[in-house]
Amino acid sequence: MNLRWGAAAAAIAAAARMPGSHAFAPKSAARPAVVVPSSSALSMGPPADPSAPLTEQFGEGSRKYRRTVYTHEQWVKHRSTDRFSNNLSTFLSSGIYKQVGKEVAATVAVAAFVCVWNALVGGYEDFGGAMHGAVIDEGWAIKAGIPMEAFTLLSPSLGLLLAFRTNQSYKRWDEARKFWGLNINHTRDLNRMATAWYGNQSDFDDTDFIDDIVPKAKIGPVVPEEREELLGQVSLMTWAFVRSMKRHLSPPDEDEEDYVNEIKSRLSPEQAEALIGAAHRPNRALYDLSVAIEKLPMHFVRKDAINVNLSIFEDTLGGSERLLSSPVPLFYSRHTARFASVWLLLLSLGLYAPFSGSWNHVMMIPATAVVSVMLFGIEELATQLEEPFTILPMQGFCDKIGANCDEIVSWAGQGQEERSDAVVAPALESAAVVSGGYDAVAAKASPAPWATVVSTAKDEAEAKRPGRLGRIKERVKRRVGLKGRMGGVGEAARR
């Protein structure tokens, strides 16, 4: 818990230094944002502190230590030539093997019983090498054993069951990781488009998207303070969605307290209360994000392009809920577990004869233990992978998304100056030289300037005011005529 509180405090402190956050003092858009690394990347494996409670060394408590985020340094260690010796040196401390300790102990107990029973009813060898007769010399007392061929015959079936079980569990983990990859990609995309398109209607062709009777929305000059506030809300609500999704997919006792503290520290009191009190928090966060996008001054076509990302968020959220609520069919996983358990519990009966060369067949006991650890370990791996969200570094993803979005919106206005004499003047000079200037070419093609043509067509349509069908036909005819005149300009330019 101390580690999680430290991670949450680091994330909150980092957010306070980032521009574009609604809850903190505004900063200049030109100031670079502080990019904070993931605060929840933990070392792979059980806690290194030997005083850590036993419940965190394996089982549910150890799952948080499997949320690993690799960097170049970790990949170098991962490919190290010492990886085999390192992995073997941690054999006894492996959480997976500790998790299957009870099952392995059961198979070892059966193997020891078989060894002792057969010695009692079939004779045994003492430490001096002398042979002794059966201690239990009764007709019903017979040696226990099963031909090894029975296990050989069932081995391919067990292997297929375990392989399919593991593959399906890994597929679920991979699908969950891809959902979060889509979240990371499209949160960046959303904030990039919102920042670059802010205040830009791009309706330069003067097209009427509704009716002539409805005046088109005109976007005024960009106010830097208002832009910082509105884009900050987009970034903040983007982070609120992924953080709410993380809480939605995490155990309540692990994340609820941290979630409430983070939301209250970054959102306004009204927003935090509405989000925390919602029955489905990710849906509420998506709604708040939609409202923040709708407030941006830009053409509705561009808002539609931005909202495509929200539909993708709905898909990743729904897919994650599907994985969380629908395990691999229970009858399959249960049959696999039963198959492996019976096969391994009876394995010592088949190994008794092959180990006749050892003292009283005793070497079959460690052999049974090793085989049990490996096969039970495969089934345990599949079980651990089947529910992927508590072993994914979702808090690290949320921290990364929040830092990236805050940085992107801090770039607002950079490189988007309306006029730069250093760029515009040479361009105008070059345009005037080509073919004697565009104005001269246009004059040869049409005696009326372009602005006059557009104004005349509008006046005619306004004077006639026909019905809806007539207005549509009038606009089509007008556009055809205008395109013809522009074609004349182009033709004259080519000549």
Side-chain angles (χ1 to χ4, degrees), residues 236-253:
L236 189 59
M237 291 302 106
T238 304
W239 169 83
F241 163 69
V242 294
R243 187 61 184 87
S244 298
M245 180 173 171
K246 189 261 182 183
R247 166 62 195 88
H248 188 65
L249 300 172
S250 300
D253 58 344

Side-chain angles (χ1 to χ4, degrees), residues 69-88:
V69 178
Y70 262 31
T71 62
H72 290 292
E73 294 179 0
Q74 280 76 35
W75 280 115
V76 170
K77 183 178 180 180
H78 186 77
R79 296 187 294 263
S80 171
T81 56
D82 298 330
R83 62 185 183 274
F84 295 104
S85 58
N86 292 335
N87 290 333
L88 288 175

Side-chain angles (χ1 to χ4, degrees), residues 36 99 193 230 248 350:
V36 181
Q99 186 75 3
M193 291 190 290
L230 294 178
H248 188 65

Side-chain angles (χ1 to χ4, degrees), residues 273-333:
E273 182 179 356
L275 184 56
I276 294 173
H280 195 286
R281 291 165 174 173
N283 279 344
R284 174 67 198 201
L286 276 180
Y287 169 77
D288 291 339
L289 180 55
S290 298
V291 172
I293 294 172
E294 188 61 27
K295 291 180 180 179
L296 297 177
M298 64 178 62
H299 198 281
F300 77 90
V301 174
R302 291 191 161 179
K303 288 183 181 180
D304 287 345
I306 294 176
N307 276 294
V308 169
N309 294 288
L310 272 65
S311 297
I312 295 175
F313 295 156
E314 287 282 11
D315 291 339
T316 61
L317 175 60
S320 298
E321 290 175 332
R322 168 177 53 81
L323 292 177
L324 184 63
S325 61
S326 303
V328 173
L330 294 179
F331 53 83
Y332 182 89
S333 57

Side-chain angles (χ1 to χ4, degrees), residues 85-419:
S85 58
N86 292 335
N87 290 333
L88 288 175
S89 65
T90 59
F91 191 96
L92 297 179
S93 62
S94 171
I96 292 293
Y97 301 147
K98 289 180 179 179
Q99 186 75 3
V100 298
K102 293 180 180 180
E103 291 82 357
V104 174
T107 60
V108 170
V110 171
F113 173 79
V114 170
C115 188
V116 172
W117 173 259
N118 287 346
L120 292 175
V121 301
Y124 63 94
E125 179 183 357
D126 63 18
F127 291 108
M131 296 299 300
H132 298 271
V135 176
I136 304 176
D137 190 10
E138 300 290 341
W140 54 266
I142 61 175
K143 296 176 67 174
I146 297 176
M148 195 61 191
E149 287 77 9
F151 297 92
T152 304
L153 183 64
L154 292 176
S155 294
S157 299
L158 178 60
L160 288 175
L161 284 172
L162 290 174
F164 182 81
R165 175 94 167 86
T166 307
N167 287 341
Q168 290 303 308
S169 296
Y170 176 78
K171 183 178 179 182
R172 291 167 60 87
W173 179 91
D174 185 58
E175 189 174 6
R177 180 60 183 89
K178 288 177 179 176
F179 285 150
W180 276 95
L182 285 173
N183 284 344
I184 293 173
N185 295 344
H186 287 278
T187 51
R188 296 170 179 170
D189 200 34
L190 185 155
N191 283 267
R192 173 188 59 80
M193 291 190 290
T195 303
W197 293 347
Y198 184 92
N200 186 354
Q201 186 169 354
S202 289
D203 196 14
F204 303 126
D205 60 352
D206 209 34
T207 302
D208 292 322
F209 284 97
I210 311 177
D211 269 339
D212 293 336
I213 60 175
V214 181
K216 290 178 297 183
K218 297 298 181 182
I219 298 178
V222 173
V223 180
E225 293 77 11
E226 180 182 8
R227 176 178 61 190
E228 183 175 4
E229 173 68 17
L230 294 178
L231 290 178
Q233 275 293 296
V234 173
S235 173
L236 189 59
M237 291 302 106
T238 304
W239 169 83
F241 163 69
V242 294
R243 187 61 184 87
S244 298
M245 180 173 171
K246 189 261 182 183
R247 166 62 195 88
H248 188 65
L249 300 172
S250 300
D253 58 344
E254 177 185 322
D255 194 43
E256 177 65 20
E257 186 177 357
D258 293 341
Y259 171 78
V260 172
N261 291 333
E262 289 183 43
I263 292 298
K264 287 183 176 179
S265 68
R266 296 202 62 181
L267 272 63
S268 65
E270 297 79 9
Q271 290 174 327
E273 182 179 356
L275 184 56
I276 294 173
H280 195 286
R281 291 165 174 173
N283 279 344
R284 174 67 198 201
L286 276 180
Y287 169 77
D288 291 339
L289 180 55
S290 298
V291 172
I293 294 172
E294 188 61 27
K295 291 180 180 179
L296 297 177
M298 64 178 62
H299 198 281
F300 77 90
V301 174
R302 291 191 161 179
K303 288 183 181 180
D304 287 345
I306 294 176
N307 276 294
V308 169
N309 294 288
L310 272 65
S311 297
I312 295 175
F313 295 156
E314 287 282 11
D315 291 339
T316 61
L317 175 60
S320 298
E321 290 175 332
R322 168 177 53 81
L323 292 177
L324 184 63
S325 61
S326 303
V328 173
L330 294 179
F331 53 83
Y332 182 89
S333 57
R334 287 172 179 172
H335 178 70
T336 303
R338 291 164 183 156
F339 195 146
S341 298
V342 172
W343 195 91
L344 288 169
L345 285 171
L346 299 179
L347 179 62
S348 56
L349 297 174
L351 293 179
Y352 183 82
F355 280 94
S356 59
S358 63
W359 181 76
N360 289 322
H361 306 253
V362 73
M363 290 305 297
M364 76 171 188
I365 298 177
T368 301
V370 172
V371 175
S372 299
V373 166
M374 298 308 170
L375 292 184
F376 277 132
I378 294 175
E379 203 279 334
E380 178 65 22
L381 284 175
T383 303
Q384 293 290 330
L385 284 170
E386 188 175 1
E387 190 276 281
F389 300 106
T390 49
I391 57 174
L392 280 176
M394 294 191 294
Q395 183 65 43
F397 296 154
C398 294
D399 296 343
K400 182 178 182 179
I401 289 171
N404 288 341
C405 292
D406 284 343
E407 182 184 34
I408 290 171
V409 299
S410 72
W411 300 333
Q414 297 181 15
Q416 291 182 314
E417 293 78 5
E418 294 185 1
R419 181 179 181 85

